[in-house]
């Protein structure tokens, strides 16, 4: 089987909650999503999706990833898409950046491999270890009573894992995080994400203001791994790293520095091939793992669910659920159930049914020989 052509589409994945907010005033109402179709000389084609979270979140941007796809795409024409490891290695030799572009190519190749073998991707990734992983919700910035009400409403829908956004005023954010923690049962998995915006001093102020009697795992408090590790040492709070974990060296260094958890975003690390190795290593090191991505919608949800469902349940915290967070849905994919969980479909490949190509409109560009 050989890759014959690549088509790149885009649409705006609009946020269902109005305005999405992160620290440092980073807000959006949606993001342009990149959707890739890889066709082959057989009747099998693969699809994948992800969207950079603006240009101020990671060293990645929508226009930059499109440029990377234009450069990388021609180099994989004629290759066997059932060999995502070989394709990933070829992409890495060709370009150092373009992680999101590499990711959609890699994920579409896994989709083809699954369809070619008649197996869902999570079986190819080691098997279905987790029947129905919990999905998390994001509680953004806002007045404390409003944020608490939002968290209670999510819990009433069945959500059992929530990420609370922090990273602006450490004292105000500590009060909001504490109020949400106290309003919800202990069984709800709550973690606070500063999205790398605080320096060490601000992160320590937040942790102290949270109070000794409240424990909330703390995601990417500072930009650097070393500052985040200091937060762990000085506060005793479990630290989850997200933005600063890209390579295996990052992960191993983090573990050695006392970091206990990692948020693995497929488009940050270069796709399923890379994410799987990081996931397996993190689990082998007895770290906690969340599976996530920067932005997206239907396909992003079902792609990430493949990795989540093949993760050891005692080490997986939660998986994102873009299909509940954004619209429109370009494919039918698993949705969050009343128990706050996602059940992967047994459809071969990445677990979606028909793609609504009309919804995608005209392609941005097309790559063929
Ligand atoms: Mg994060």
């Amino acid at each position: 089987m050989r890759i014959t052509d690549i088509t790149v589409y885009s649409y705006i994945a609009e946020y269902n909650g109005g305005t999405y907010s992160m620290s440092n005033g980073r807000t959006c109402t949606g993001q342009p999503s990149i959707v890739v179709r890889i066709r082959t000389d057989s009747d099998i084609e693969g699809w994948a999706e992800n969207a950079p979270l603006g240009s101020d979140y990671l060293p990645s941007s929508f226009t930059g990833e499109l440029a990377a796809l234009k450069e990388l795409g021609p180099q994989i024409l004629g290759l066997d898409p059932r060999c995502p490891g070989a394709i990933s290695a070829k992409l890495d030799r060709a370009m150092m950046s373009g992680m999101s572009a590499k990711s959609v190519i890699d994920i579409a190749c896994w989709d083809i491999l699954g369809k070619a073998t008649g197996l869902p991707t999570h079986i190819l990734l080691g098997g279905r270890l987790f029947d129905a992983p919990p999905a998390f919700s994001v509680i953004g910035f806002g007045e404390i009573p409003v944020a608490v009400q939002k968290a209670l409403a999510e819990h009433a829908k069945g959500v059992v894992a929530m990420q609370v956004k922090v990273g602006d005023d450490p004292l105000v954010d500590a009060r909001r995080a504490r109020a949400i923690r106290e309003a919800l049962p202990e069984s709800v998995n709550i973690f606070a994400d500063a999205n790398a915006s605080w320096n060490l001093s601000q992160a320590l102020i937040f942790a102290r203001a949270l109070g000794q009697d409240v424990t909330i795992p703390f995601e990417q408090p500072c930009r650097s791994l070393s500052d985040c590790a200091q937060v762990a040492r000085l506060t005793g709070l479990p630290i989850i790293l997200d933005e600063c974990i890209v390579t295996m060296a990052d992960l191993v260094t983090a573990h050695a520095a006392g970091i206990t958890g990692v948020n693995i975003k497929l488009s940050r690390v270069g796709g399923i091939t890379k994410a799987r190795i990081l996931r397996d290593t993190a689990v082998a090191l007895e770290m906690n793992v969340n599976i996530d991505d920067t932005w997206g919608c239907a396909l992003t949800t079902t792609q990430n669910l493949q990795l989540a469902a093949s993760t050891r349940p005692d080490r997986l915290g939660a998986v994102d659920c873009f299909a509940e967070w954004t619209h429109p849905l370009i494919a039918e994919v698993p949705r969050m159930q009343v128990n706050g969980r996602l059940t992967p479909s047994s459809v071969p490949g990445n677990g979606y049914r028909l793609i609504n190509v009309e919804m995608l409109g005209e392609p941005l560009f097309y790559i063929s020989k």
Side-chain angles (χ1 to χ4, degrees):
M1 187 188 292
R2 301 288 155 193
I3 295 173
T4 54
D5 58 79
I6 303 163
T7 314
V8 178
Y9 299 88
S10 180
Y11 72 99
I12 303 293
E14 306 267 9
Y15 186 53
N16 294 337
T19 301
Y20 182 83
S21 56
M22 282 192 296
S23 54
N24 277 337
R26 289 172 287 181
T27 61
C28 70
T29 56
Q31 296 289 351
S33 207
I34 298 170
V35 178
V36 164
R37 176 185 65 189
I38 294 182
R39 288 197 294 202
T40 66
D41 57 6
S42 79
D43 58 355
I44 297 176
E45 59 184 35
W47 289 80
E49 170 181 16
N50 66 50
L53 183 40
S55 303
D56 54 2
Y57 173 67
L58 285 175
S60 172
S61 68
F62 177 68
T63 50
E65 300 304 337
L66 292 182
L69 276 169
K70 284 180 184 171
E71 194 173 327
L72 292 171
Q75 306 199 40
I76 62 161
L77 297 176
L79 299 184
D80 187 338
R82 296 169 302 179
C83 307
I87 289 180
S88 179
K90 169 108 182 167
L91 296 175
D92 281 348
R93 281 195 301 275
M95 185 183 287
M96 292 187 73
S97 61
M99 300 306 259
S100 174
K102 290 174 180 175
S103 177
V104 278
I105 291 173
D106 177 76
I107 295 167
C109 288
W110 277 95
D111 191 31
I112 291 169
L113 174 61
K115 289 170 179 172
T117 54
L119 293 169
T121 303
H122 59 268
I123 298 296
L124 298 171
L125 293 173
R128 188 152 158 186
L129 280 72
F130 206 152
D131 272 340
F136 69 90
S137 290
V138 178
I139 311 297
F141 288 90
E143 296 297 320
I144 292 171
V146 176
V148 168
Q149 279 310 311
K150 159 101 187 198
L152 288 171
E154 290 299 301
H155 185 239
K157 284 196 285 185
V159 175
V160 292
M162 292 183 210
Q163 181 192 69
V164 178
K165 288 299 187 191
V166 299
D168 281 347
D169 184 314
L171 296 175
V172 174
D173 291 356
R175 283 200 294 276
R176 190 174 60 256
R178 186 183 172 107
I180 291 170
R181 175 68 282 177
E182 288 176 343
L184 292 168
E186 286 179 359
S187 58
V188 178
N189 168 17
I190 292 175
F191 45 107
D193 186 6
N195 287 110
S197 92
W198 279 331
N199 66 13
L200 182 54
S201 171
Q202 291 167 309
L204 295 176
I205 290 169
F206 169 83
R208 177 65 67 88
L210 200 57
Q212 285 288 328
D213 56 330
V214 176
T215 301
I216 299 177
F218 197 0
E219 182 168 327
Q220 196 76 45
C222 307
R223 178 62 58 185
S224 72
L225 196 161
S226 58
D227 277 353
C228 292
Q230 281 289 5
V231 176
R233 279 186 210 106
L234 296 171
T235 68
L237 289 176
I239 302 293
I240 302 162
L241 289 184
D242 180 346
E243 285 91 327
C244 74
I245 301 292
V246 178
T247 66
M248 180 61 73
D250 297 331
L251 181 71
V252 172
T253 304
H255 175 260
I259 303 300
T260 55
V262 59
N263 172 318
I264 300 176
K265 288 189 167 75
L266 276 64
S267 69
R268 188 184 71 241
V269 303
I272 289 176
T273 300
K274 302 278 183 62
R276 179 224 197 146
I277 298 168
L278 292 171
R279 185 272 312 267
D280 288 344
T281 304
V283 170
L285 292 169
E286 303 296 353
M287 296 174 79
N288 297 320
V289 175
N290 288 333
I291 304 293
D292 193 7
D293 215 330
T294 43
W295 198 265
C297 193
L299 292 185
T300 311
T301 301
T302 190
Q303 292 160 187
N304 292 355
L305 189 50
Q306 302 304 316
L307 202 63
S310 56
T311 302
R312 237 172 68 190
D314 60 334
R315 291 294 168 256
L316 182 77
V319 62
D320 66 77
C321 191
F322 280 96
E324 306 300 330
W325 304 346
T326 58
H327 69 279
L329 298 164
I330 61 161
E332 187 188 323
V333 296
R335 301 295 298 273
M336 198 183 72
Q337 300 147 202
V338 289
N339 60 1
R341 291 168 182 274
L342 287 164
T343 299
S345 97
S346 52
V347 172
N350 292 343
Y352 58 87
R353 296 191 185 276
L354 217 53
I355 301 283
N356 188 336
V357 183
E358 271 180 27
M359 199 178 271
L360 289 170
E362 286 299 307
L364 295 183
F365 55 89
Y366 177 76
I367 298 166
S368 69
K369 280 241 164 58

